[in-house]
Amino acid sequence: MTVARTVELEGHIIDSGTMGMCFGVVMDMGGEFEVEDFEVGRHKHAETYCRMRVMAESEDDLRAILHELNQQGATVADPRDATLENAPEDGVVPVDFYSTTNHPTYVRVDGEWVEIEDPEMDCALVVERADPEDPQGVGNADERRNGDGNTRVLTKVLNAVEEGDLVVTGETGIRVEPPERPRNGGGSFGFMQGGVSSERPSASLIEEIADEMREVRENDGNVLVVCGPAIVHSGGRDALADLVRAGFIDNLSAGNGFAVHDLERDLYGTSLGVDTESLEHPRKGHKHHIYTISEIARLGSIEAAVDEGIVDEGVMYECIDNDVPFVLAGSIRDDGPLPDTITDAIEAQDAIREQAHDADIVLMLSTLLHSVAVGNCLPSTTKTVCVDINPATVTQLLDRGSAQAIGMVTDIGTFIPMLRDELLEE
Amino acid sequence: MTVARTVELEGHIIDSGTMGMCFGVVMDMGGEFEVEDFEVGRHKHAETYCRMRVMAESEDDLRAILHELNQQGATVADPRDATLENAPEDGVVPVDFYSTTNHPTYVRVDGEWVEIEDPEMDCALVVERADPEDPQGVGNADERRNGDGNTRVLTKVLNAVEEGDLVVTGETGIRVEPPERPRNGGGSFGFMQGGVSSERPSASLIEEIADEMREVRENDGNVLVVCGPAIVHSGGRDALADLVRAGFIDNLSAGNGFAVHDLERDLYGTSLGVDTESLEHPRKGHKHHIYTISEIARLGSIEAAVDEGIVDEGVMYECIDNDVPFVLAGSIRDDGPLPDTITDAIEAQDAIREQAHDADIVLMLSTLLHSVAVGNCLPSTTKTVCVDINPATVTQLLDRGSAQAIGMVTDIGTFIPMLRDELLEE
Amino acid sequence: MTVARTVELEGHIIDSGTMGMCFGVVMDMGGEFEVEDFEVGRHKHAETYCRMRVMAESEDDLRAILHELNQQGATVADPRDATLENAPEDGVVPVDFYSTTNHPTYVRVDGEWVEIEDPEMDCALVVERADPEDPQGVGNADERRNGDGNTRVLTKVLNAVEEGDLVVTGETGIRVEPPERPRNGGGSFGFMQGGVSSERPSASLIEEIADEMREVRENDGNVLVVCGPAIVHSGGRDALADLVRAGFIDNLSAGNGFAVHDLERDLYGTSLGVDTESLEHPRKGHKHHIYTISEIARLGSIEAAVDEGIVDEGVMYECIDNDVPFVLAGSIRDDGPLPDTITDAIEAQDAIREQAHDADIVLMLSTLLHSVAVGNCLPSTTKTVCVDINPATVTQLLDRGSAQAIGMVTDIGTFIPMLRDELLEE
Amino acid sequence: MTVARTVELEGHIIDSGTMGMCFGVVMDMGGEFEVEDFEVGRHKHAETYCRMRVMAESEDDLRAILHELNQQGATVADPRDATLENAPEDGVVPVDFYSTTNHPTYVRVDGEWVEIEDPEMDCALVVERADPEDPQGVGNADERRNGDGNTRVLTKVLNAVEEGDLVVTGETGIRVEPPERPRNGGGSFGFMQGGVSSERPSASLIEEIADEMREVRENDGNVLVVCGPAIVHSGGRDALADLVRAGFIDNLSAGNGFAVHDLERDLYGTSLGVDTESLEHPRKGHKHHIYTISEIARLGSIEAAVDEGIVDEGVMYECIDNDVPFVLAGSIRDDGPLPDTITDAIEAQDAIREQAHDADIVLMLSTLLHSVAVGNCLPSTTKTVCVDINPATVTQLLDRGSAQAIGMVTDIGTFIPMLRDELLEE
């Protein structure tokens, strides 16, 4: 940590989340902090003051951190004037221009803090100094607005920037004042903290999930996968079977539907002329579905069907072949169900509870019902990965989930093959 | 076509869509048909009668076709009794059991058509013959229900089937009567035709899209791709750039946002310490966004930035390097915009219209606004592929689209890399 | 039926759905038809020909019907030239202008059928006659395109129409050729029929549902309501209780969660200081949830709680007070459950099946799980109304539902109060 | 504030958000706090300690607050043993039972802190004291698990509670340890704070929005409404027109489509036989759409159409009649457009920017494009209300919005009429 700078914050910064965000920013961006002074607001209407020293490994890193802190409302402690640079051309800003938030903002010009006009996100700030020769602004180009001869700071969108405009650059001499949490509730109006949205490239997220699964395996940990039938429809079944076979799955939780679809592919994939690749006769699907259940019922269990060689591939097959325990929980929309399915909800919950307690990481794949059932039994310390094509499902699972969670809105039919490739092809 | 059978249909089978569905079923399943008799219902209340001979290449194929026709309401012409087989065990049905629709259905038992009780989908039909010795059913086990001594056909879910039950098998002697389109409107109640939902595995759909694109290229056709910014966020950018470089894209249509995100990755991906793989400093994104526009504005155009070597990879770079024309249409939510962006909506529409008229196939990738704009200009004969994570977007595009269309609800960040692999890695 | 006109159709019009659509159009729009000639295509590659007389009650109605038939590909039998009218100003079309489909289209000009250029939806057609003085088109303003001196029909968007342009009006002399269903499958490309999307005002749909419910009641029919917990969260509970009390509901199907939320409101709405209107202490919700179950468990059943006067309002209360039978089906995500909840899935299905068989109309309100379970047991002749805020849920229910169904994507918290007002306030 | 209690917190409570949540809980629930001691963690690895006195107006209120603080990790300062009470029956808990979080939790029994087993949400805690007579637990019923003779605290779901179980009640003697924000990032795993989801009844939220609008009007404030075409489709148009006429709207922002749909209803609602209530001829919609634009183009502007008496009701009519300024911003998917529509994106943004700067409260109704455009120009101090049927749209708008916002996922076709009734019918 070779470079440092001191910043200050003031206001209802604890309950507005600002203080926590600032500590988080520094840590997330690889810096360190040292609180030099801290006066907590001792009651509801008292403000909190914090002065802290922020350290980073390079000037670039420090600048990036300070930029973020500034947007949260922190100001560099030792106030200097903002740095200004002329716009090189119309519609062009200097390299290090200050990009605005939409919060009330003050810029220090010639020793004075000037409030910016019309705060708006993602704009440049342009300083119009009072003309000392013409304090009334009579000869000023923008007479109407700056007639009082005071220094102004305008908020300009890029296409309004003109050559020669005095554009604010860097982070010094700028003070942002994010709105604070209303003291007396806000009625129905929720208080929105400036969250950090994390749009992440799908492929790189999958890599990290694979890393995590590898690590769990190396530590003899336990991976629980919760499976919905969409895995089979969307073509993720073979990849999941590969993962079970390769030992990446320690426990499987699903419903009757998932198992029947998986077994049906196996029983009818080649024998009755239905091409599982092209699905050319999808209309017969439901009859196969029922008949699959009937066949397993005749044999007594999925394990019996495997033993008799009638089922010889797929996810359920690999579970039995590799001694991966599974729980199939029944539901009122089931056909059949399979003899392996636990039809009593309380009994099924108890079985799920045991799986959940053993897990170190849980992959919730395209099933809301079963994921909620598992999630209900999880301690907050278990890592969870929630994958679904429906953003509402992912949100709901993250809301109820553990303290460390990844949510991905993606296609399970492409997710599992890519995860498999990541884990197996190396 | 070695095997054949004659079926009949009767009722308001044209406007209820039944007739069309039946012709479609035969063709989709590889059969042929020969209409032997056809009496059209000449006015609103008159019924239509059709007798047709259905041919297939094998008994199995024919049976599959007849099963589907039966579910649409067609009956085998020469009526014979339904075939019956005993259930081998509790909860187990014979191999060729008849799986019900939820339509009113009649089964021919001992020369009589008997209406089934309580029609319900995906069930087995069980015949309870009247006892000739005990026509009043006095000694019958199920006295209450069958006290009248008549033959009954029960609809049983799998777990209600008992060993020895007389289960209906095959397709003969069964008549289904799907509800017909109400003659006098149905008020607000929509008339639901028994559509065929097509859940398709993602990977195999991507293969077929690749085949189509290859074919278009071989015929010197024109592939237009419509791009939303999610392509860049979700990590599909490099794969798309590869496709442009390899000559699979002839025209690109997008908005200001897509181009800026693409260029920003290029301009800042390595130069300012932001790692595009891990996105470690996502918070600075917006400043980069604006500055990217400013830089291109300074240089005058994207092409100028490529010529000066400032932009040397990415989708826009490949477009310019490979002479793939592009249209960037402006919108009121744009930052900037780039000098290449057409800000006037009418002018932009005209440019889009030209692209649309030239296209043989259009890939609409994760943008509703631009896809609708392109779709508005397409003739119904152009093939379209609509890909989005939001099912509502895909539905809306298919509804307005051309007569031949593929809709995929999937993650663009996994779709484009898989399409690229399909097209390039061979 | 005072006015009539004869139209013709030709092609693969049965399996492409065109024929059915045309019959449907006439009936939906209040007309009649009389088929004068019908030659069915007897095998896969043979085309069908239909000539029919269309009748309506007024010229206006007939014109509207012919417009629709035209868009489906029907042509007026006795071909005359298209009518043409000059555009009165730039960007302005004549009153009765012909608005295009995006299908290939032919216009009859001076006895010749001319194919329109660049078909596109919602445009005007402008005729440019060949110049008899200048057959080579040498002096033509648009030499490049019309150099051959032939008559052309251009597709113009509104803003491209110029004063004096010869705009096609009415429906005569226009032939539309919608693409036909591909004979040999279309690979993955679905064949899109020109469906009729029905955006309906919410309030008027609710009126029609109310009418239907009133009618069912008058005929001693049976209304089954399937209820999700969102009814309570979103504030629809009191209105539903009113409907039960007023006798509009004959049967109720729900899960444990719905009942607990309903009872909790009742048990804690006033007693423990939680204001059910403002929900000011929502954080304590879960504890109340569990304690509510515990209380009912202590008393033995919901009915016992009503008898002891502990529960004295709400949906469950009204069900017991008005002898409306209910089924509470268990699920693996339940807390508790209540003693009234059937935890075994097969047992619960049997109870649901009985409700479903008795119903004449089913209202599925904000629950996918229970609605699918009920829907699985319904014959195709039962009317269904599916209401959910999630369009995917509505679509899924309609797809599996009966032949007559209404789907509404709306807020259950506003839907039920408006339905109640419709049914009770008169 | 008549009752008080002192609580303590310790750990990385600032950056984990715990401290802010605790202050928030007290204020939201009507209490007060007085920080008695506060030792900030001065650097990344140092923990923070806070002791604060919490005050409330009644014992009940205080208990509710302490319950919430406890769930966030605060412990009552003066440690006493947890209170225990016997379960009165199987499956029944004492009134004041402690309902668990899923965080690691400690219970003070006989002066010792005992960690609970298998933490899980919404359960009861049951204490099993070591048997002093049988320290080895030999005779214990649950030998296997409690063989060591130590006191245990079990986490039991309701249906596992047995009569006589020693259930923990109240909040004293319980310490919760919510996971803390990982010090070194968490890789891709987001750190989930225990947020407070706010499911609110729709009707009561609408009341509060109405209150807010009334207050703005009383203070001569400015209400900006941003309108999407769904308002017209879904039947909210008349109610919105009423609000404009009654003076509740000061500014309107929309696109070409909204205005055309609104005008079309007016122009064709009665004149051409289309019943706007039942929408019986929806198929002709598009032709009307184009012709409406053509008519307004002929007259020159919407205002001219009003002046000539051709448009005499609807939202646009009321805007003109009541001098409510409007901005119609163009887009590439527009038909026409109307002469009033600003087709240049930059020009349109400038007009929108002015509206946004003037607004005190913004209602964003069913349009993502226009709402984002307005939102981009808003300072964080303007209140916003975002209403859409699509939860993703609401989330996106809230994320970019101001610091005080209400999001409602509801049907605009029922929302606006209910808001109108709330504002006008009194």
Side-chain angles (χ1 to χ4, degrees), chain D residues 348-412:
Chain D
Q349 276 183 348
D350 287 342
I352 287 168
R353 175 164 293 115
E354 236 174 276
Q355 293 186 308
H357 289 166
D358 287 347
D360 293 295
I361 185 168
V362 181
L363 271 63
M364 300 173 167
L365 306 181
S366 286
T367 162
L368 182 58
L369 178 63
H370 294 272
S371 297
V372 168
V374 169
N376 282 346
C377 305
L378 286 180
S380 64
T381 45
T382 306
K383 287 182 176 177
T384 52
V385 175
C386 311
V387 182
D388 205 284
I389 196 87
N390 182 348
T393 297
V394 173
T395 305
Q396 190 174 342
L397 293 176
L398 290 181
D399 278 356
R400 296 184 62 89
S402 60
Q404 287 195 59
I406 290 177
M408 268 190 87
V409 178
T410 188
D411 177 356
I412 201 72

Side-chain angles (χ1 to χ4, degrees), chain C residues 60 63 67 83-89 91-99 123-124 158 161 165-171, chain D residues 267-268 271-272 284-296 298 310:
Chain C
D60 267 4
R63 188 169 24 226
H67 176 75
T83 51
L84 305 176
E85 202 171 320
N86 287 111
E89 290 180 38
V92 177
V93 287
V95 181
D96 197 28
F97 83 105
Y98 176 81
S99 177
C123 291
L158 189 61
V161 170
D165 272 356
L166 271 181
V167 177
V168 177
T169 57
E171 313 288 337
Chain D
L267 285 170
Y268 294 103
S271 55
L272 282 195
K284 291 205 73 167
H286 267 293
K287 184 168 175 177
H288 286 180
H289 196 78
I290 302 294
Y291 192 67
T292 298
I293 300 167
S294 172
E295 270 301 278
I296 305 292
R298 191 174 60 79
I310 290 185

Side-chain angles (χ1 to χ4, degrees), chain A residues 283-306:
Chain A
R283 290 176 174 104
K284 290 206 72 164
H286 266 293
K287 182 167 176 178
H288 286 180
H289 196 77
I290 302 293
Y291 192 66
T292 297
I293 300 167
S294 171
E295 270 300 279
I296 304 292
R298 191 176 59 80
L299 296 163
S301 69
I302 299 172
E303 185 160 6
V306 169

Side-chain angles (χ1 to χ4, degrees), chain B residues 175 194 229 314 386:
Chain B
R175 205 172 76 224
C386 310

Side-chain angles (χ1 to χ4, degrees), chain C residues 339-367:
Chain C
D340 303 75
T341 299
I342 306 174
T343 60
D344 186 76
I346 296 179
E347 233 177 278
Q349 277 184 347
D350 287 342
I352 287 168
R353 175 163 292 115
E354 237 174 276
Q355 294 187 308
H357 289 165
D358 287 347
D360 293 295
I361 184 169
V362 181
L363 271 62
M364 300 173 168
L365 306 180
S366 288
T367 163

